[in-house]
């Protein structure tokens, strides 16, 4: 029995070695896609996988990049930093040359060091934590979304000049993304002479926020800022309005998602959120959305176009560089402008996107409407 | 004072939310000494069943109270079937094995159910329509308490009293207590313990389903992951009150709710969980079996 078991083990190991060797077929360009594909934030990660698949299918159908087909490796990180390191290690061992991802800032940060050591280009469609680019620690990192501080600056200017609020309550979900946004709004608001009377983190996923809503009521503020994602935002808005509080509610692009309106329903009306500039008139974006509908049967979700553009950008850079060499491709990403689903974009020296930014939106009659400046 | 009253009522409402889930938790533990980690998932499945049933029924144009009633019935039936099946497949074969085996089996079931709903339904958050009536007399005091909170509070109280009566005064309750004391002895005197345990799981799951419908109506949303967070808090509440004790679960839930809201209101919501766990640790140091738990000697 033991011998049999041993034999099976040996075969299994040999098999996996053979399989790994078989996978190292030359002539393909290997690109990883990483992000939350399961877990409570899966709705932020899965659209990127679809986006990458659509672009890659199209490129491969046209014969690939300079004759080489692209092969995708999809790995899940559940948006958890501790899982993301494993995800990264797995992609490194798959010999990918670039990664589209990760989705959440925390997970991206923990994976980036690993990619940097292995000289793997990483383009995130959604990680907006500012130091990821601004620290200069990760020359391999790019993103097709503006960092949080751009959003926070826009939100604060909007609060001060358009809404003319004087006293704010700022809440966040204690995550890298939500707290990052909240911290910056607090900093910019205080500089602009707006009082921040309440600044607190709440537990994401909790069924009830009535205590903190009472506290907002007690603080006597004239506006609420939320740094975080839409599930908590809709509970907060609902519980505030249920208590008869009608304060302006300003949030970030984690809330600028149609799911927020679907979930919050009538409570969503009037909510402000900053979000990526509208791309609905861009022909490439229209085509990408239509392709998604044709292939997957539904409307694409959050960060779909960002991931689509990220994939287009890397494809273009490889084409322009004429190789998958790290230095050549990063140089091409920084110097070449490319037409993507987000418009004509390039990347600056730190890896932030040029040619695409943020606007303020408001929910009006069940739809996000871009507010013109 | 006004602020304190608001916080206190918020805490009471929050406590009754926890209690609605903690009751089923504690009941199952009381009878079979198993921490049923899948309880939170059964609650979530109850919510989903009601959402789907409610969608169909209101599309058929039935009146709202009937929609509410039928979706609760559907949720109870479906979740009970889940509870029954889980016990048969995952716990019964392990009943005479070390207790850790059943615990791990429970964690496994919890993951399977989460991912089952993720794959079979959606990964997205869905809006949960409130079919609960809006009580007009509460409108002037809506800053303090709203209809859904009051309905949850009343339901929790009714269930607590009902369960206590069931366990203390009925034939089935007697069999349950016998099973809880000593399974083998109960079997020797003619108690069908398989049936008793099945009934326990069915009742526990039915309660979870009712909780699912009410709490999702309150939150206005549902997602396959909600059972996990709610399950953990309800578990803490049940341990706080003395796991296995029905009034203990409710008391523990209220204490947890009050601690969290008062802590949030007067100090900071950043430490909401810390307040909850400080109370838990203090009580477990002073009274290791929980507030209303019985001090049970380990049989050697």
């Amino acid at each position: 029995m033991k011998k049999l078991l041993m034999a099976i083990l040996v075969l299994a190991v040999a098999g996996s070695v053979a399989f790994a060797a078989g996978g190292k077929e030359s002539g393909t360009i290997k690109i990883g896609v990483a992000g939350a594909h399961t877990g409570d934030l899966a709705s932020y990660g899965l659209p990127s996988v679809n986006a990458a698949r659509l672009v890659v299918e199209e490129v491969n159908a046209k014969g690939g990049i300079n004759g080489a087909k692209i092969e995708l490796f999809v790995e899940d990180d559940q948006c958890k930093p501790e899982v993301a390191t494993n995800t990264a290690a797995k992609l490194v061992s798959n010999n990918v040359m670039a990664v589209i991802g990760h989705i959440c800032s925390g997970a991206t940060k923990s994976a980036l060091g690993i990619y940097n050591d292995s000289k793997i280009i990483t383009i995130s469609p959604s990680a907006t934590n500012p130091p990821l680019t601004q620290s200069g620690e990760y020359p391999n990192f790019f993103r097709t979304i503006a960092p949080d501080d751009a959003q926070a600056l826009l939100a604060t200017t909007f609060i001060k000049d358009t809404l003319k609020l004087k006293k704010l309550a700022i809440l966040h979900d204690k995550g890298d993304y939500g707290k990052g946004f909240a911290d910056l709004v607090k900093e910019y608001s205080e500089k602009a002479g707006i009082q921040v009377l309440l600044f607190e983190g709440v537990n994401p996923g909790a069924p009830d926020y009535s205590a903190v809503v009472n506290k907002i009521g007690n603080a006597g503020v004239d506006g609420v800022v939320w740094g975080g994602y839409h599930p908590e935002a809709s509970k907060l808005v609902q519980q505030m309005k249920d208590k008869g509080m009608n304060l302006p509610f300003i949030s970030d692009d984690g809330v600028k998602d149609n799911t927020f309106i679907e979930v919050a329903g009538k409570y969503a009306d009037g909510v402000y959120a900053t979000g990526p500039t509208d791309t609905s008139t861009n022909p490439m974006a229209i085509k990408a959305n239509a392709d998604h509908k044709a292939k997957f049967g539904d409307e694409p979700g959050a960060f779909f176009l960002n991931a689509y553009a990220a994939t287009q950008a890397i494809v273009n850079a490889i084409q322009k560089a004429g190789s998958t060499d790290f230095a050549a491709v990063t140089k091409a990403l920084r110097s070449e402008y490319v037409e993507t689903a987000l418009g004509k974009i390039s990347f600056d020296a730190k890896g932030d996107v040029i040619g695409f930014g943020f606007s303020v939106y408001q929910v009006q009659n069940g739809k996000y409407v871009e507010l013109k400046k | 004072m006004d602020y304190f009253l608001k916080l206190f009522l918020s805490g009471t409402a929050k406590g009754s939310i926890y209690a609605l889930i903690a009751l089923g938790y504690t009941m199952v533990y009381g009878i079979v000494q198993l921490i049923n980690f899948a309880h939170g998932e059964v609650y979530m499945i109850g919510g989903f069943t009601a959402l789907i049933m409610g969608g169909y029924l209101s599309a058929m144009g039935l009146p709202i109270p009937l929609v509410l009633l039928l979706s609760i019935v559907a949720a109870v039936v479906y979740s009970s079937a889940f509870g029954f099946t889980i016990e048969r497949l995952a716990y019964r074969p392990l009943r005479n094995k070390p207790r850790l085996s059943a615990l791990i089996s429970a964690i496994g079931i919890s993951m399977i159910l989460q991912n089952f709903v993720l794959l079979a339904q959606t990964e997205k958050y869905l809006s949960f329509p409130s079919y609960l009536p809006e009580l007009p007399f509460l409108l002037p005091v809506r800053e303090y308490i709203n209809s859904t909170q009051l309905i949850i509070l009343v339901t929790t109280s009714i269930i607590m009293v009902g369960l206590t009566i069931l366990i203390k005064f009925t034939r089935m309750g007697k069999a349950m207590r016998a099973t809880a004391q000593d399974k083998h002895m109960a079997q020797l005197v003619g108690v069908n313990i398989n049936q008793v345990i099945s009934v326990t799981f069915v009742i526990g799951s039915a309660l979870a389903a009712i909780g699912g419908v009410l709490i999702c109506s309150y939150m206005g949303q549902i997602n396959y992951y909600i059972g996990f967070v709610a399950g953990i808090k309800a578990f803490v509440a049940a341990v706080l009150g003395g796991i296995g004790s029905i009034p203990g679960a409710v008391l523990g839930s209220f204490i947890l709710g009050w601690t969290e809201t008062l802590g949030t209101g007067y100090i900071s919501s950043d430490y909401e969980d810390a307040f909850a766990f400080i109370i838990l640790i203090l009580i477990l140091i002073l009274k290791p079996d929980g507030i209303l738990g019985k001090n049970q000697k380990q049989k050697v």
Side-chain angles (χ1 to χ4, degrees):
Chain A
M1 188 61 203
K2 252 191 182 159
K3 266 188 186 161
L4 184 68
L5 203 67
M6 208 47 207
I8 291 171
L9 268 179
V10 168
L11 272 178
V13 171
S16 61
V17 169
F19 184 72
K24 272 198 179 180
E25 171 195 345
S26 62
T28 63
I29 293 170
K30 294 177 180 175
I31 295 181
V33 182
H37 306 149
T38 62
D40 56 339
L41 295 173
S43 64
Y44 290 113
L46 291 170
S48 296
V49 181
N50 292 347
R53 288 215 169 110
L54 285 174
V55 176
V56 166
E57 257 172 39
E58 200 178 316
V59 172
N60 284 348
K62 286 180 186 159
I65 308 174
N66 307 332
K69 294 263 162 85
I70 307 175
E71 193 184 345
L72 280 183
F73 291 82
V74 178
E75 289 295 336
D76 179 24
D77 70 5
Q78 299 168 23
C79 259
K80 291 180 180 155
E82 67 275 17
V83 180
T85 49
N86 289 337
T87 312
K90 203 161 171 202
L91 287 172
V92 170
S93 70
N94 284 333
N95 283 316
V96 300
M97 59 81 54
V99 174
I100 310 294
H102 295 203
I103 299 300
C104 296
S105 291
T108 307
K109 192 173 170 186
S110 82
L112 257 186
I114 299 173
Y115 295 136
N116 196 22
D117 292 342
S118 313
K119 294 225 174 293
I120 293 173
I121 296 167
T122 311
I123 309 189
S124 171
S126 60
T128 48
N129 184 255
L132 289 176
T133 51
Q134 289 164 11
S135 68
E137 278 174 50
Y138 307 111
N140 61 326
F141 183 64
F142 299 84
R143 56 182 158 204
T144 49
I145 191 160
D148 281 333
D149 50 358
Q151 254 193 100
L153 199 58
L154 178 67
T156 315
T157 318
F158 180 73
I159 288 166
K160 184 170 173 278
D161 297 340
T162 313
L163 297 177
K164 301 196 192 313
L165 305 181
K166 299 273 180 296
K167 288 174 280 184
L168 284 183
I170 302 179
L171 303 177
H172 59 83
D173 65 357
K174 305 189 205 175
D176 273 350
Y177 167 71
K179 186 164 187 297
F181 176 78
D183 277 335
L184 286 165
V185 172
K186 180 168 186 264
E187 192 188 319
Y188 296 143
S189 298
E190 282 170 349
K191 265 187 213 157
I194 300 170
Q195 276 180 291
V196 178
L197 298 180
L198 192 67
F199 184 84
E200 289 198 16
V202 300
N203 282 339
D208 178 89
Y209 292 115
S210 52
V212 84
V213 168
N214 279 329
K215 209 171 177 181
I216 295 172
N218 198 45
V221 295
D222 49 22
V224 180
V225 175
W226 165 248
Y229 299 102
H230 66 79
E232 288 75 29
S234 63
K235 278 184 250 182
L236 280 168
V237 170
Q238 180 181 344
Q239 289 172 16
M240 275 166 61
K241 290 201 177 154
D242 273 345
K243 284 189 188 295
M245 290 160 64
N246 270 315
L247 299 172
F249 190 90
I250 304 107
S251 193
D252 49 32
D253 66 333
V255 173
K256 174 49 206 52
D257 180 342
N258 285 332
T259 320
F260 170 71
I261 301 177
E262 280 162 29
V263 172
K266 61 177 175 165
Y267 296 100
D269 251 16
V271 166
Y272 300 100
T274 55
T277 311
D278 190 17
T279 50
S280 58
T281 52
N282 180 326
M284 260 186 190
I286 295 168
K287 181 180 175 299
N289 286 333
D291 285 353
H292 186 282
K293 197 144 191 198
K295 189 163 163 62
F296 303 105
D298 55 359
E299 295 293 331
F303 310 120
F304 170 75
L305 290 179
N306 302 71
Y308 198 90
T311 320
Q312 287 177 315
I314 188 82
V315 167
N316 175 68
I318 298 169
Q319 230 153 25
K320 293 277 159 59
S323 76
T324 56
D325 174 57
F326 177 77
V329 177
T330 48
K331 185 165 170 274
L333 280 171
R334 291 200 171 100
S335 55
E336 301 286 342
Y337 271 86
V338 52
E339 280 293 349
T340 67
L342 297 179
K344 200 170 182 183
I345 61 165
S346 180
F347 297 90
D348 67 14
K350 285 176 174 165
D352 274 323
V353 63
I354 306 170
F356 176 71
F358 277 101
S359 311
V360 179
Y361 294 81
Q362 185 181 29
V363 183
Q364 293 173 359
N365 302 320
K367 271 208 175 92
Y368 269 116
V369 178
E370 189 173 352
L371 300 179
K372 297 283 173 231
K373 280 167 218 165
Chain B
M1 196 55 211
D2 180 55
Y3 183 48
F4 176 81
L5 188 66
K6 277 183 194 165
L7 288 176
F8 183 80
L9 286 173
S10 285
T12 312
K14 198 173 189 178
S16 57
I17 288 178
Y18 291 152
L20 214 43
I21 309 171
L23 278 168
Y25 239 117
T26 216
M27 181 176 154
V28 166
Y29 185 88
I31 312 292
V32 288
Q33 279 82 48
L34 165 75
I35 297 168
N36 181 15
F37 277 113
H39 191 70
E41 272 57 50
V42 174
Y43 143 83
M44 176 266 296
I45 287 173
F48 260 104
T49 314
L51 177 71
I52 295 166
M53 266 317 265
Y56 276 121
L57 294 174
S58 43
M60 280 161 62
L62 294 184
I64 296 292
L66 195 61
V67 171
L68 175 68
L69 188 72
L70 289 178
S71 7
I72 291 183
V73 169
V76 164
V77 170
Y78 199 63
S79 290
S80 302
F82 258 98
F84 178 79
T85 317
I86 291 168
E87 194 270 331
R88 279 302 275 268
L89 293 182
Y91 303 149
R92 190 173 293 182
L94 298 170
R95 197 179 290 158
N96 297 317
K97 300 285 184 313
R99 215 184 269 175
L100 211 53
S101 313
L103 192 70
I104 290 170
S105 183
I107 294 174
I109 289 288
S110 155
M111 288 176 182
I112 290 171
L113 292 183
Q114 268 182 31
N115 285 290
F116 161 66
V117 176
L118 167 73
L119 294 173
Q121 294 298 327
T122 173
E123 81 281 2
K124 286 184 186 149
Y125 280 81
L126 298 176
S127 174
F128 197 97
S130 181
Y131 299 119
L132 299 177
E134 198 71 54
L135 305 172
F137 65 92
L138 280 176
L139 211 55
V141 291
R142 63 181 178 168
E143 279 177 67
Y144 298 91
I145 191 162
N146 68 32
S147 319
T148 316
Q149 286 174 323
L150 189 69
I151 291 171
I152 292 178
L153 188 58
V154 170
T155 313
T156 305
S157 317
I158 294 173
I159 290 176
M160 182 185 82
V161 173
L163 275 185
T164 312
I165 292 174
L166 172 81
I167 289 175
K168 286 239 160 94
F169 301 110
T170 64
R171 220 178 133 73
M172 181 41 92
K174 204 181 242 176
M176 282 176 173
R177 279 178 289 147
T179 309
Q181 274 178 8
D182 190 327
K183 284 195 205 76
H184 296 289
M185 206 51 215
Q187 229 165 355
L188 280 179
V189 296
V191 176
N192 183 352
I193 64 160
N194 281 336
Q195 194 196 357
V196 169
I197 292 175
S198 285
V199 168
T200 308
F201 271 85
V202 165
I203 294 176
S205 307
L207 297 183
I210 295 173
V213 180
L214 295 183
I215 296 170
C216 290
S217 299
Y218 178 64
M219 295 195 292
Q221 55 180 258
I222 190 166
N223 173 264
Y224 73 91
Y225 204 62
I226 56 163
F228 180 74
V229 182
I232 292 280
K233 278 289 167 71
F235 175 59
V236 171
V239 172
L240 196 63
I243 193 153
S245 153
I246 302 285
V250 175
L251 184 64
S253 302
F254 281 135
I255 290 178
L256 195 66
W258 290 323
T259 315
E260 286 184 357
T261 41
L262 293 177
T264 297
Y266 288 109
I267 307 171
S268 168
S269 60
D270 285 307
Y271 306 110
E272 190 184 89
D273 282 349
F275 301 130
F277 285 101
I278 287 171
I279 287 285
L280 179 70
I281 291 168
L282 283 180
I283 286 181
L284 290 187
I285 289 173
L286 298 172
K287 221 168 166 307
D289 294 301
I291 303 170
L292 297 180
K294 289 197 199 78
N295 183 12
Q296 282 174 339
K297 297 225 167 61
Q298 288 287 324
K299 277 170 272 190
V300 185

